[in-house]
Amino acid sequence: MSFVEVHFDGDFAYNHQVSLRNLSRTLTCLQSAIDRAHLDNAHGRVWKHARMSFKDYKVTDFLVQPPEEGGYILKFLSTSEKNAKEIIQRITAALLPAYEKAMDEGEIEINKYKNKVVERKAQLSQGNPTVKSYESIIQQPDSKMVRQYGDRAIVKEVDKMLVPVRTNNSENNIIELTFNAEITTKFTFDKTNSQRFHSIVSQKDLGIPVIYRANIKSLDNDVLRGRMYNLDSRKDAYIHFHNIEDLLKLHPFLARKEEEVRFIGSPIIEYGTFDPDAGDIYFLDLYS
């Protein structure tokens, strides 16, 4: 039978007990990873802010078994064996590349993607970069988009689960995840490799400049971020700005929310993925 198992060890599981705070975070993130994996399997892809239906909930339920000693161990059995195998295999496929890299002792290159914004804006002013249409990136994605968006959605939940491991002062805390679907795959996260895992899966980069058609729904000059409705994908997305001057270029369209504005933006690529429908975008300039 397919199952998922969480094993807390070290100071997390003192006297074979675990804190409500750590347990609740872990279980919430684990269920979210299961949900993301199911949606990706069911629809061929998962998108940002995708919601579960009642039908989806029925096949993503895993039943909590009595706790076991050996630290603190919880096993979860699915109520739908076929779906459980597919979900577990999808989660494992998403986690393995980042986990194997985290376990490697090689240097992790941090991409300073915000530094590229200045370069892109300078190139635009000089008329240098190629600007793509929205339709073209759907048909031929950026070469930096090397993974499915579902991978990012799944590993992001596991990364959130590991916050107590990588931020706690203790070096002894461990969260071990076991996924069994015909074969058993185990992921053991201590402070060092959970920090490396975070560095890997939180990498961001800028995609090629794209022309977007949108309605502007909100702008926040405190955090230099806005929300737009993408007229091509028919979904909402966040826009990020380099400075207040850039944000103010879209301000006239805020009062006229039904008016179409065209601007050039770069998709923000996270862990080699981007959701073309609702993924975050970095504003570069108005398109004329």
Side-chain angles (χ1 to χ4, degrees):
M1 180 176 287
S2 300
F3 66 84
V4 179
E5 184 178 276
V6 179
H7 177 193
F8 297 88
D9 210 349
D11 294 342
F12 277 168
Y14 176 75
N15 199 25
H16 307 297
Q17 299 177 83
V18 66
S19 75
L20 174 61
R21 189 181 308 281
N22 288 335
L23 182 62
S24 62
R25 173 189 287 274
T26 302
L27 299 192
T28 298
C29 293
L30 179 59
Q31 183 65 63
S32 293
I34 289 169
D35 294 346
R36 300 298 97 184
H38 166 70
L39 288 172
D40 198 54
N41 287 336
H43 300 288
R45 67 186 184 95
V46 65
W47 55 95
K48 201 164 188 178
H49 313 304
R51 295 179 180 272
M52 298 276 286
S53 68
F54 176 74
K55 182 180 177 181
D56 294 320
Y57 283 116
K58 290 179 66 177
V59 297
T60 52
D61 278 343
F62 282 71
L63 302 180
V64 184
Q65 304 305 295
E68 303 172 20
E69 293 187 359
Y72 185 89
I73 301 172
L74 280 178
K75 185 176 288 186
F76 309 91
L77 302 180
S78 174
T79 57
S80 173
E81 179 63 16
K82 178 182 181 296
N83 285 282
K85 284 183 179 179
E86 294 174 350
I87 288 168
I88 288 170
Q89 289 167 351
R90 183 67 187 92
I91 294 174
T92 302
L95 282 178
L96 267 175
Y99 179 76
E100 289 174 346
K101 191 170 182 180
M103 295 298 288
D104 186 1
E105 295 183 357
E107 184 178 352
I108 299 171
E109 182 181 353
I110 304 300
N111 193 333
K112 306 293 186 182
Y113 85 102
K114 287 190 177 181
N115 295 342
K116 293 187 177 182
V117 176
V118 178
E119 297 173 12
R120 288 280 168 82
K121 289 172 67 65
Q123 291 168 352
L124 273 178
S125 66
Q126 297 164 11
N128 290 337
T130 301
V131 179
K132 299 280 188 177
S133 68
Y134 179 82
E135 293 80 3
S136 69
I137 67 162
I138 297 297
Q139 297 168 3
Q140 187 174 2
D142 194 312
S143 60
K144 295 176 183 176
M145 300 177 192
V146 296
R147 296 183 183 86
Q148 299 178 51
Y149 184 75
D151 290 350
R152 166 61 180 164
I154 292 165
V155 299
K156 184 177 181 180
E157 296 301 330
V158 174
D159 187 43
K160 289 192 292 186
M161 180 193 304
L162 300 174
V163 169
V165 183
R166 64 174 177 265
T167 59
N168 197 284
N169 290 331
S170 174
E171 298 286 340
N172 301 320
N173 290 324
I174 289 174
I175 290 180
E176 187 174 79
L177 302 174
T178 301
F179 297 94
N180 181 79
E182 296 179 348
I183 62 171
T184 301
T185 309
K186 188 174 292 186
F187 301 91
T188 303
F189 293 98
D190 58 17
K191 184 169 186 175
T192 299
N193 67 10
S194 65
Q195 289 173 338
R196 290 175 59 81
F197 185 84
H198 175 71
S199 297
I200 292 162
V201 304
S202 60
Q203 285 275 11
K204 292 184 179 182
D205 201 354
L206 282 188
I208 56 178
V210 174
I211 302 167
Y212 289 95
R213 302 187 312 119
N215 298 138
I216 305 304
K217 300 183 72 173
S218 66
L219 294 170
D220 189 332
N221 58 6
D222 290 327
V223 295
L224 294 178
R225 190 176 74 175
R227 195 168 182 86
M228 73 175 210
Y229 177 73
N230 187 323
L231 291 169
D232 290 304
S233 71
R234 300 185 181 279
K235 292 189 182 295
D236 288 353
Y238 284 114
I239 326 170
H240 300 261
F241 300 91
H242 181 62
N243 51 38
I244 189 66
E245 288 76 19
D246 281 348
L247 182 145
L248 290 175
K249 290 180 180 180
L250 290 182
H251 194 267
F253 299 94
L254 182 59
R256 307 189 297 271
K257 292 185 179 181
E258 300 303 316
E259 182 176 346
E260 175 184 319
V261 58
R262 297 192 179 198
F263 69 90
I264 301 171
S266 280
I268 299 178
I269 299 172
E270 302 179 73
Y271 184 49
T273 71
F274 175 71
D275 174 11
D277 291 334
D280 288 15
I281 300 157
Y282 221 109
F283 176 87
L284 298 175
D285 207 349
L286 291 172
Y287 178 74
S288 58

